[in-house]
């Protein structure tokens, strides 16, 4: 049982857990990336993200469907147990935030999703255990259940105190 095999198995497990926590409308955005008739959005997602996770890179939960991210978007942990997301853009935005706990340098199967967060420049989310997280931000044109377009996901690595 080699280290590479263990990391590969762990990365598939992590990608599977992430897929389960992604809202259905975001899963559908993978449809346009299918290049083979025998592939599904799940297959495309897994082929892209299992490798990224194994290499310690953030995943791509959503490739987007026509909406842009704010020009400057940042994430950090300004206080114990909290993650802040901010932008210099003052337009109101609806956002889904997905946080994936990092274990041994790669994204784990511990995933949290929060939908339809409205903010104009600053968003604070509390209740995180200490540790490192990949934080994914996806903007939508409407609440998640009625959205017609979304941005590609932005990814940040955040150390929560």
């Amino acid at each position: 049982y080699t280290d590479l095999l263990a990391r590969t198995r762990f990365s598939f497990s992590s990608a599977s857990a992430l897929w389960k926590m992604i809202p259905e409308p975001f899963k559908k955005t993978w449809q346009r990336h299918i290049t083979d008739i025998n592939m599904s959005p799940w297959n495309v997602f897994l082929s892209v993200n299992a490798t990224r996770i194994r290499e310690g890179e953030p995943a791509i939960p959503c490739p987007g469907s026509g909406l842009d991210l704010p020009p400057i978007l940042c994430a950090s942990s300004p206080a114990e147990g909290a993650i802040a997301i901010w932008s210099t853009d003052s337009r109101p935005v609806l956002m889904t935030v997905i946080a994936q706990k990092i274990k041994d340098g790669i994204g784990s199967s511990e995933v949290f999703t929060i939908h339809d967060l409205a903010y104009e420049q600053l968003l604070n989310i509390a209740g995180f255990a200490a540790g490192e997280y990949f934080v994914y931000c996806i903007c939508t044109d409407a609440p998640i259940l009625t959205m017609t377009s979304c941005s590609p996901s932005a990814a940040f690595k955040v150390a929560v105190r």
Side-chain angles (χ1 to χ4, degrees):
Y1 203 66
T2 66
D3 183 51
L4 179 60
L5 181 58
R7 283 181 74 86
T8 299
R9 284 184 175 199
F10 187 78
S11 68
F12 275 92
S13 172
S14 297
S16 295
L18 185 58
W19 177 261
K20 289 176 186 173
M21 295 302 293
I22 295 172
E24 196 61 36
F26 298 156
K27 290 178 182 178
K28 290 178 181 176
T29 64
W30 285 96
Q31 185 73 35
R32 66 187 172 110
H33 296 279
I34 294 175
T35 57
D36 182 319
I37 197 157
N38 296 320
M39 292 185 84
S40 68
W42 156 248
N43 297 123
V44 177
F45 175 88
L46 196 61
S47 67
V48 168
N49 287 303
T51 301
R52 292 180 64 84
I53 290 169
R54 185 183 70 235
E55 300 299 323
E57 297 291 322
I60 301 171
C62 179
S65 64
L67 204 64
D68 291 328
L69 284 164
I72 297 176
L73 190 65
C74 303
S76 68
S77 180
E80 191 172 309
I83 292 176
I85 299 162
W86 72 94
S87 171
T88 57
D89 192 342
S90 61
R91 293 175 293 161
V93 172
L94 277 177
M95 183 178 289
T96 293
V97 175
I98 302 169
Q100 183 179 32
K101 185 96 183 223
I102 298 172
K103 180 180 177 185
D104 298 327
I106 62 177
S108 73
S109 58
E110 196 174 331
V111 180
F112 314 93
T113 304
I114 307 166
H115 309 293
D116 302 331
L117 298 168
Y119 86 105
E120 290 190 22
Q121 285 183 288
L122 177 64
L123 178 63
N124 279 304
I125 307 167
F128 288 92
E132 283 191 312
Y133 293 83
F134 285 126
V135 177
Y136 307 105
C137 303
I138 305 159
C139 296
T140 59
D141 64 346
I144 195 77
L145 295 177
T146 59
M147 67 161 249
T148 57
S149 62
C150 61
S151 70
S153 49
F156 305 96
K157 189 174 187 178
V158 177
V160 175
R161 302 179 267 137

